[in-house]
Amino acid sequence: MLELEPEYLNKIANQLIVISSLLSGFSIAVMANILVSNTEKRISNHILKVTTVAAA
């Protein structure tokens, strides 16, 4: 089995952290926009709750 250098693994981990933080930032921005919208429909409220749980 091929062993990877610790420096290489650190670079991969750093890239994954950056990608994950960017994606979470976008999802938080979308969720904030949905939260401030006033929806009175029941289906919209259920969709909002499900997407909030999924984003978390």
Side-chain angles (χ1 to χ4, degrees):
M1 186 170 166
L2 179 66
E3 288 194 28
L4 299 175
E5 296 291 325
E7 295 86 15
Y8 179 71
L9 292 175
N10 282 337
K11 288 181 182 181
I12 290 176
N14 286 336
Q15 289 178 358
L16 287 174
I17 290 169
V18 168
I19 290 170
S20 134
S21 64
L22 285 173
L23 290 176
S24 67
F26 286 125
S27 68
I28 289 171
V30 168
M31 287 308 302
N33 284 328
I34 292 174
L35 285 174
V36 296
S37 68
N38 292 330
T39 57
E40 299 298 326
K41 295 181 181 177
R42 186 173 180 206
I43 188 75
S44 297
N45 289 332
H46 287 303
I47 291 172
L48 174 64
K49 290 175 186 174
V50 168
T51 54
T52 303
V53 170

Coordinates of all heavy atoms in Angstrom, one line a residue:
M1 N 0.8 -1.2 0.0 CA 0.0 0.0 0.0 C 0.9 1.2 0.0 O 1.9 1.3 0.7 CB -0.9 0.0 1.2 CG -1.9 1.1 1.2 SD -3.1 0.8 2.6 CE -3.8 2.3 2.6
L2 N 0.4 2.2 -0.7 CA 1.2 3.5 -0.8 C 1.0 4.4 0.4 O -0.2 4.7 0.7 CB 0.8 4.2 -2.1 CG 1.5 5.5 -2.4 CD1 3.0 5.3 -2.7 CD2 0.8 6.2 -3.6
E3 N 2.0 4.8 1.0 CA 1.9 5.7 2.1 C 2.0 7.2 1.6 O 2.9 7.4 0.8 CB 2.9 5.4 3.2 CG 2.6 4.2 4.0 CD 3.4 4.1 5.2 OE1 3.8 5.1 5.8 OE2 3.7 2.9 5.6
L4 N 1.2 8.0 2.1 CA 1.2 9.4 1.7 C 1.9 10.2 2.7 O 1.9 10.0 3.9 CB -0.2 10.0 1.5 CG -1.1 9.2 0.5 CD1 -2.5 9.8 0.5 CD2 -0.5 9.4 -0.9
E5 N 2.6 11.3 2.3 CA 3.4 12.1 3.1 C 2.4 13.0 4.0 O 1.4 13.4 3.5 CB 4.3 13.1 2.3 CG 5.3 12.3 1.5 CD 6.4 11.7 2.4 OE1 6.7 12.3 3.4 OE2 6.9 10.6 2.1
P6 N 2.8 13.3 5.2 CA 1.9 14.1 6.1 C 1.7 15.5 5.5 O 0.6 16.1 5.7 CB 2.7 14.2 7.4 CG 3.6 13.0 7.4 CD 3.9 12.7 6.0
E7 N 2.7 16.1 4.8 CA 2.5 17.4 4.2 C 1.5 17.4 3.2 O 0.7 18.3 3.0 CB 3.9 17.9 3.7 CG 5.0 18.2 4.7 CD 5.8 16.9 5.0 OE1 5.7 15.9 4.2 OE2 6.4 16.9 6.1
Y8 N 1.5 16.3 2.4 CA 0.5 16.2 1.3 C -0.9 16.0 1.9 O -1.9 16.7 1.4 CB 0.8 15.0 0.4 CG -0.2 14.7 -0.7 CD1 -0.2 15.5 -1.8 CD2 -1.0 13.6 -0.6 CE1 -1.1 15.3 -2.8 CE2 -1.9 13.4 -1.6 CZ -2.0 14.2 -2.7 OH -2.8 14.0 -3.7
L9 N -1.0 15.2 3.0 CA -2.3 15.1 3.6 C -2.8 16.4 4.2 O -4.0 16.7 4.2 CB -2.2 14.0 4.7 CG -2.0 12.6 4.2 CD1 -1.9 11.6 5.3 CD2 -3.2 12.1 3.3
N10 N -1.9 17.2 4.8 CA -2.3 18.5 5.3 C -2.8 19.4 4.2 O -3.7 20.2 4.4 CB -1.1 19.1 6.0 CG -0.8 18.5 7.4 OD1 -1.8 18.0 8.0 ND2 0.4 18.7 7.9
K11 N -2.2 19.4 3.0 CA -2.6 20.2 1.9 C -4.0 19.8 1.5 O -4.9 20.7 1.2 CB -1.7 20.2 0.8 CG -0.4 20.9 1.0 CD 0.6 20.8 -0.2 CE 1.9 21.5 0.2 NZ 2.8 21.5 -1.0
I12 N -4.3 18.5 1.4 CA -5.6 18.0 1.0 C -6.6 18.4 2.1 O -7.7 18.9 1.8 CB -5.6 16.5 0.9 CG1 -4.8 16.1 -0.4 CG2 -7.0 15.9 0.7 CD1 -4.6 14.6 -0.6
A13 N -6.3 18.3 3.4 CA -7.2 18.7 4.4 C -7.5 20.2 4.4 O -8.7 20.6 4.6 CB -6.6 18.3 5.8
N14 N -6.5 21.0 4.1 CA -6.7 22.4 4.0 C -7.7 22.8 2.8 O -8.5 23.7 3.0 CB -5.4 23.2 3.8 CG -4.6 23.3 5.1 OD1 -5.2 23.2 6.2 ND2 -3.3 23.4 5.0
Q15 N -7.5 22.1 1.7 CA -8.4 22.3 0.6 C -9.8 21.9 0.9 O -10.8 22.6 0.5 CB -7.9 21.6 -0.7 CG -6.6 22.2 -1.2 CD -6.1 21.4 -2.4 OE1 -6.6 20.4 -2.8 NE2 -5.0 22.0 -3.0
L16 N -10.0 20.8 1.6 CA -11.3 20.4 2.0 C -12.0 21.3 2.9 O -13.2 21.6 2.9 CB -11.3 19.0 2.6 CG -11.0 17.8 1.6 CD1 -10.9 16.5 2.4 CD2 -12.1 17.7 0.6
I17 N -11.2 21.9 3.8 CA -11.7 22.9 4.8 C -12.2 24.1 4.1 O -13.3 24.6 4.3 CB -10.7 23.2 5.8 CG1 -10.5 22.0 6.8 CG2 -11.1 24.4 6.6 CD1 -9.3 22.2 7.7
V18 N -11.4 24.6 3.1 CA -11.8 25.8 2.3 C -13.1 25.5 1.5 O -14.0 26.3 1.5 CB -10.7 26.2 1.4 CG1 -11.1 27.3 0.4 CG2 -9.5 26.7 2.2
I19 N -13.2 24.4 0.8 CA -14.3 24.1 0.0 C -15.6 23.9 0.9 O -16.6 24.5 0.6 CB -14.1 22.8 -0.8 CG1 -13.1 23.0 -1.9 CG2 -15.4 22.3 -1.3 CD1 -12.6 21.8 -2.5
S20 N -15.4 23.3 2.1 CA -16.5 23.1 3.0 C -17.0 24.4 3.6 O -18.2 24.7 3.7 CB -16.1 22.1 4.0 OG -16.5 22.5 5.3
S21 N -16.1 25.3 3.9 CA -16.5 26.6 4.5 C -17.2 27.5 3.4 O -18.2 28.2 3.7 CB -15.3 27.3 5.1 OG -14.4 27.7 4.1
L22 N -16.7 27.4 2.2 CA -17.4 28.2 1.1 C -18.8 27.7 0.9 O -19.8 28.4 0.7 CB -16.6 28.1 -0.2 CG -15.4 28.9 -0.3 CD1 -14.6 28.6 -1.5 CD2 -15.7 30.4 -0.2
L23 N -19.0 26.3 0.8 CA -20.3 25.8 0.6 C -21.3 26.1 1.7 O -22.4 26.4 1.5 CB -20.2 24.3 0.3 CG -19.6 23.9 -1.0 CD1 -19.5 22.4 -1.1 CD2 -20.4 24.4 -2.2
S24 N -20.7 26.0 2.9 CA -21.6 26.3 4.1 C -22.0 27.8 4.1 O -23.1 28.2 4.5 CB -20.9 25.9 5.4 OG -19.8 26.7 5.6
G25 N -21.1 28.7 3.7 CA -21.4 30.1 3.6 C -22.5 30.3 2.6 O -23.4 31.1 2.9
F26 N -22.5 29.7 1.4 CA -23.5 29.8 0.5 C -24.9 29.3 1.0 O -25.9 29.9 0.8 CB -23.2 29.1 -0.8 CG -22.2 29.9 -1.7 CD1 -21.0 29.2 -2.1 CD2 -22.3 31.2 -2.0 CE1 -20.1 29.9 -2.8 CE2 -21.4 31.8 -2.8 CZ -20.2 31.2 -3.2
S27 N -24.8 28.2 1.7 CA -26.1 27.6 2.2 C -26.6 28.5 3.3 O -27.8 28.7 3.4 CB -25.9 26.2 2.7 OG -25.0 26.2 3.8
I28 N -25.8 29.1 4.1 CA -26.3 30.0 5.2 C -26.9 31.3 4.5 O -27.9 31.8 5.0 CB -25.1 30.4 6.1 CG1 -24.7 29.2 7.0 CG2 -25.5 31.6 7.0 CD1 -23.5 29.4 7.8
A29 N -26.3 31.8 3.5 CA -26.8 32.9 2.8 C -28.2 32.6 2.2 O -29.1 33.4 2.3 CB -25.9 33.4 1.7
V30 N -28.4 31.5 1.6 CA -29.6 31.1 1.0 C -30.7 30.9 2.1 O -31.8 31.4 2.0 CB -29.5 29.8 0.2 CG1 -30.9 29.2 -0.2 CG2 -28.7 30.0 -1.1
M31 N -30.3 30.3 3.2 CA -31.2 30.0 4.3 C -31.6 31.4 4.9 O -32.8 31.5 5.3 CB -30.6 29.1 5.4 CG -30.5 27.7 5.0 SD -32.0 27.0 4.4 CE -33.0 27.3 5.8
A32 N -30.7 32.3 5.0 CA -31.1 33.6 5.6 C -32.1 34.3 4.7 O -33.1 34.9 5.2 CB -29.8 34.5 5.8
N33 N -32.0 34.2 3.4 CA -32.9 34.8 2.5 C -34.3 34.1 2.6 O -35.3 34.8 2.6 CB -32.4 34.7 1.1 CG -31.4 35.8 0.8 OD1 -31.4 36.8 1.4 ND2 -30.4 35.4 -0.1
I34 N -34.3 32.8 2.8 CA -35.6 32.1 2.9 C -36.2 32.5 4.3 O -37.4 32.6 4.4 CB -35.3 30.6 2.8 CG1 -34.9 30.3 1.4 CG2 -36.6 29.8 3.2 CD1 -34.6 28.8 1.1
L35 N -35.4 32.6 5.3 CA -36.0 32.9 6.6 C -36.6 34.3 6.7 O -37.6 34.4 7.4 CB -34.9 32.8 7.7 CG -34.5 31.4 8.1 CD1 -33.3 31.4 9.0 CD2 -35.6 30.6 8.7
V36 N -36.1 35.2 6.0 CA -36.7 36.6 6.1 C -37.9 36.7 5.2 O -38.6 37.7 5.3 CB -35.6 37.7 5.8 CG1 -34.5 37.7 6.8 CG2 -35.1 37.6 4.4
S37 N -38.1 35.8 4.3 CA -39.3 35.9 3.5 C -40.5 35.4 4.3 O -40.5 34.5 5.0 CB -39.1 35.0 2.2 OG -39.1 33.6 2.6
N38 N -41.6 36.2 4.1 CA -42.8 35.9 4.8 C -43.7 34.9 4.0 O -44.3 35.4 3.0 CB -43.6 37.1 5.2 CG -42.8 38.0 6.2 OD1 -42.1 37.4 7.0 ND2 -43.0 39.3 6.1
T39 N -43.7 33.7 4.4 CA -44.6 32.7 3.7 C -45.7 32.3 4.6 O -45.4 31.9 5.8 CB -43.8 31.5 3.2 OG1 -43.1 30.9 4.3 CG2 -42.7 31.9 2.1
E40 N -46.9 32.3 4.1 CA -48.0 31.8 4.9 C -48.5 30.4 4.5 O -49.3 29.9 5.2 CB -49.2 32.8 4.7 CG -48.9 34.2 5.2 CD -48.5 34.3 6.6 OE1 -49.1 33.5 7.4 OE2 -47.7 35.1 7.0
K41 N -47.9 29.9 3.4 CA -48.4 28.6 3.0 C -47.8 27.5 3.8 O -46.6 27.6 4.2 CB -48.0 28.4 1.5 CG -48.7 29.3 0.6 CD -48.3 29.1 -0.9 CE -49.0 30.1 -1.8 NZ -48.6 29.9 -3.2
R42 N -48.5 26.5 4.0 CA -48.1 25.4 4.9 C -46.9 24.6 4.2 O -46.0 24.2 4.9 CB -49.3 24.5 5.2 CG -49.0 23.4 6.2 CD -50.2 22.6 6.5 NE -49.9 21.6 7.5 CZ -50.5 20.5 7.6 NH1 -51.6 20.3 6.9 NH2 -50.2 19.6 8.5
I43 N -47.0 24.3 2.9 CA -46.0 23.6 2.3 C -44.7 24.3 2.3 O -43.6 23.7 2.4 CB -46.5 23.2 0.8 CG1 -45.5 22.2 0.2 CG2 -46.6 24.4 0.0 CD1 -45.5 20.8 0.7
S44 N -44.7 25.6 2.1 CA -43.5 26.4 2.1 C -42.8 26.4 3.5 O -41.6 26.3 3.6 CB -43.8 27.9 1.8 OG -44.3 28.0 0.5
N45 N -43.6 26.4 4.6 CA -43.1 26.3 5.9 C -42.4 24.9 6.1 O -41.4 24.8 6.7 CB -44.2 26.5 7.0 CG -44.6 27.9 7.0 OD1 -43.8 28.8 6.7 ND2 -45.8 28.2 7.4
H46 N -43.0 23.8 5.6 CA -42.4 22.5 5.7 C -41.1 22.4 4.9 O -40.2 21.8 5.4 CB -43.4 21.4 5.3 CG -44.5 21.2 6.2 ND1 -44.3 20.8 7.5 CD2 -45.9 21.2 6.0 CE1 -45.5 20.7 8.1 NE2 -46.5 20.9 7.2
I47 N -41.1 23.0 3.7 CA -39.9 23.0 2.9 C -38.8 23.8 3.6 O -37.6 23.4 3.6 CB -40.2 23.5 1.5 CG1 -41.1 22.6 0.7 CG2 -38.9 23.8 0.8 CD1 -41.6 23.1 -0.6
L48 N -39.2 24.9 4.2 CA -38.2 25.7 5.0 C -37.6 24.9 6.1 O -36.4 24.9 6.3 CB -38.9 27.0 5.5 CG -38.1 27.9 6.4 CD1 -36.9 28.4 5.6 CD2 -38.9 29.0 6.9
K49 N -38.4 24.2 6.9 CA -37.9 23.4 8.0 C -37.0 22.3 7.5 O -35.9 22.0 8.1 CB -39.1 22.8 8.8 CG -39.9 23.9 9.6 CD -41.1 23.3 10.2 CE -41.9 24.4 10.9 NZ -43.2 23.9 11.4
V50 N -37.4 21.6 6.4 CA -36.5 20.5 5.9 C -35.2 21.0 5.4 O -34.1 20.4 5.7 CB -37.3 19.7 4.8 CG1 -36.4 18.8 4.1 CG2 -38.5 19.0 5.4
T51 N -35.2 22.1 4.7 CA -34.0 22.7 4.2 C -33.1 23.2 5.3 O -31.9 23.1 5.2 CB -34.2 23.8 3.1 OG1 -35.1 24.8 3.7 CG2 -34.8 23.2 1.9
T52 N -33.7 23.7 6.4 CA -32.9 24.2 7.5 C -32.2 23.0 8.2 O -31.0 23.1 8.5 CB -33.8 24.9 8.5 OG1 -34.5 26.0 7.9 CG2 -33.0 25.4 9.7
V53 N -32.9 21.9 8.3 CA -32.3 20.8 8.9 C -31.2 20.2 8.0 O -30.1 19.8 8.5 CB -33.3 19.7 9.3 CG1 -32.7 18.4 9.7 CG2 -34.3 20.2 10.3
A54 N -31.4 20.2 6.7 CA -30.4 19.7 5.8 C -29.2 20.6 5.7 O -28.1 20.0 5.6 CB -31.1 19.6 4.4
A55 N -29.4 21.9 5.8 CA -28.2 22.8 5.8 C -27.4 22.6 7.1 O -26.2 22.8 7.0 CB -28.7 24.2 5.6
A56 N -28.1 22.3 8.1 CA -27.3 22.2 9.4 C -26.5 21.0 9.4 O -25.4 20.9 9.9 CB -28.3 22.1 10.6

